[in-house]
Amino acid sequence: MARPMIKEACIGSLLLENPYYGYRKPKDQMRSSLRNVSDLFVMGGALVLESAALLHWLERGGYGPLGMTGISMGGHMASLAASNWPKPIPLVPCLSWSTASGVFTTGVLSKAVNWRELEKQYAAETVYEEEIIRLLEYCGTDSFKMGQDFVKNSPSSLENLQHHDLTTDMINLHAKRKTMRTATVSQFSPDTAALHASTQGILLQDTSNTGCLNHQMSSTNTSKYSSTVSHEPLKRKNSQASLARESILFMKGVMDECTHIGNFSVPVDPGLIIVVQAKEDAYIPRAGVRSLNEIWPGCEIRYLEGGHISAYLFKQGLFRQAIYDAFDRFLQKYSIQN
């Protein structure tokens, strides 16, 4: 992208390497796979700050006009950075959309998420229900619109969730989590050896829950146990399905709260924004979430034929044309301040 733009339009580029990528990758991280969900939010915050610092530096050096662009996650990060710039600026986000929540919960990349580990953490840590859920003020609108689409297109590993209604308000999870927590003991085998084996390599719940489980096991007589054992598979299935469902809803809510473009300021001049999106993009789901032209009135959205990968490989010429067009609009509307 950078070299052709120099030849075609005499536009220079400053490339900002993402935190957690390339030379900024932690030693214990495998390739580009982030180890923690929170790393994505740290990355976004760092890029917004670093982009602003670089734009100020370029201005002081006499460069201009300045614009921002990026592809896929880079496009989303460019959008967040531009929303924090106090001046009109050309913006061309390519192959990105209004929120990252669908990317990790319904898109192709959702299958790469370690949901089992996240479910264990969600079940074990009360801070998620006691503090974080109450801070998610915006997430309801888009997360649960997308939840309806998720039911229709759920991953094969979660097909048993299709009978659930995902349009319930997330705040109700606070009450549900209390019920679910008291029911989690049915997920563990009453046999001591089996219980020990089932807890190897996982995040354990707090000791108060373990003590409660041991007390119930020791005080339950054989006849009472034999009368309920036939219901254990159903209880286990229902509890696991509930936990999986709530973990996905929680992820959607957190992602929307931290990455949704609607939570950030509208750029000074949305007319300088040209969004380039692929019609068959399976990585960036658009169903059930607000469109960028609704959030940024006046922006232009250009749709390309094909999917995420094919557009990245074969449509970069159209990405560059959108960049040139955005700069032309800037030059027509604003004079460069010397």
Side-chain angles (χ1 to χ4, degrees):
M1 289 283 287
R3 289 181 179 178
M5 285 195 294
I6 295 177
K7 296 179 180 179
E8 297 171 357
C10 295
I11 295 178
S13 301
L14 191 156
L15 307 180
L16 173 57
E17 187 170 66
N18 273 4
Y20 300 99
Y21 283 75
Y23 288 104
R24 306 180 72 179
K25 181 178 75 66
K27 294 181 179 180
D28 58 349
Q29 177 179 300
M30 182 67 69
R31 297 188 293 275
S32 61
S33 301
L34 300 181
R35 291 176 54 84
N36 306 292
V37 174
S38 58
D39 291 345
L40 184 67
F41 310 143
V42 174
M43 178 196 301
L47 284 174
V48 169
L49 178 61
E50 292 170 356
S51 297
L54 290 173
L55 288 172
H56 281 295
W57 178 75
L58 289 168
E59 275 194 334
R60 290 196 301 269
Y63 297 95
L66 304 176
M68 301 200 71
T69 188
I71 300 176
S72 192
M73 182 173 64
H76 192 81
M77 296 301 178
S79 298
L80 298 182
S83 70
N84 284 270
W85 186 245
K87 303 175 183 179
I89 185 170
L91 170 64
V92 183
C94 303
L95 307 181
S96 66
W97 204 235
S98 57
T99 177
S101 61
V103 175
F104 298 102
T105 57
T106 63
V108 172
L109 289 181
S110 64
K111 298 180 180 180
V113 176
N114 188 352
W115 288 108
R116 187 177 298 276
E117 187 66 23
L118 293 178
E119 289 166 11
K120 292 173 183 176
Q121 294 181 13
Y122 182 75
E125 299 294 336
T126 60
V127 66
Y128 297 124
E129 64 170 328
E130 294 177 353
E131 298 182 23
I132 298 179
I133 283 181
R134 299 177 183 179
L135 299 177
L136 305 183
E137 298 177 354
Y138 181 82
C139 62
T141 301
D142 285 70
S143 288
F144 292 97
K145 282 184 181 178
M146 194 158 53
Q148 294 176 338
D149 184 68
F150 170 77
V151 173
K152 300 177 183 178
N153 304 284
S154 58
S156 57
S157 60
L158 296 174
E159 288 179 353
N160 58 341
L161 303 185
Q162 292 191 10
H163 64 281
H164 289 290
D165 179 13
L166 298 186
T167 59
T168 307
D169 189 353
M170 176 169 282
I171 302 302
N172 290 337
L173 291 181
H174 179 65
K176 290 183 179 179
R177 289 273 285 115
K178 292 182 178 179
T179 303
M180 186 272 292
R181 184 174 294 280
T182 61
T184 52
V185 293
S186 65
Q187 298 181 33
F188 299 94
S189 169
D191 179 74
T192 304
L195 174 63
H196 177 73
S198 68
T199 57
Q200 294 299 314
I202 68 171
L203 297 177
L204 297 177
Q205 295 183 350
D206 56 25
T207 55
S208 62
N209 286 344
T210 305
C212 178
L213 174 61
N214 291 335
H215 174 73
Q216 290 182 1
M217 288 170 54
S218 61
S219 62
T220 303
N221 58 50
T222 306
S223 61
K224 186 175 181 180
Y225 168 70
S226 62
S227 66
T228 59
V229 67
S230 61
H231 299 288
E232 287 301 310
L234 180 59
K235 290 181 180 179
R236 186 182 302 113
K237 181 178 180 180
N238 290 340
S239 180
Q240 290 174 345
S242 176
L243 179 58
R245 170 177 170 271
E246 292 186 23
S247 299
I248 291 173
L249 292 179
F250 183 78
M251 173 72 94
K252 286 181 180 178
V254 171
M255 285 289 177
D256 270 339
E257 183 70 19
C258 297
T259 71
H260 201 295
I261 297 297
N263 284 341
F264 293 79
S265 301
V266 176
V268 175
D269 188 352
L272 301 178
I273 302 174
I274 301 177
V275 180
V276 184
Q277 181 57 270
K279 290 182 178 179
E280 292 82 35
D281 195 331
Y283 283 82
I284 314 292
R286 299 189 300 274
V289 299
R290 295 174 64 193
S291 174
L292 282 175
N293 55 5
E294 178 185 347
I295 300 172
W296 294 333
C299 76
E300 178 187 353
I301 300 180
R302 299 179 181 180
Y303 291 99
L304 309 179
E305 297 294 337
H308 196 86
I309 301 300
S310 63
Y312 175 79
L313 294 176
F314 306 117
K315 302 297 178 67
Q316 291 191 12
L318 298 178
F319 297 166
R320 295 195 299 272
Q321 186 58 55
I323 294 171
Y324 306 154
D325 293 344
F327 273 100
D328 287 342
R329 292 179 187 179
F330 179 90
L331 294 175
Q332 290 173 8
K333 296 180 68 174
Y334 307 96
S335 60
I336 301 177
Q337 300 295 327
N338 296 320

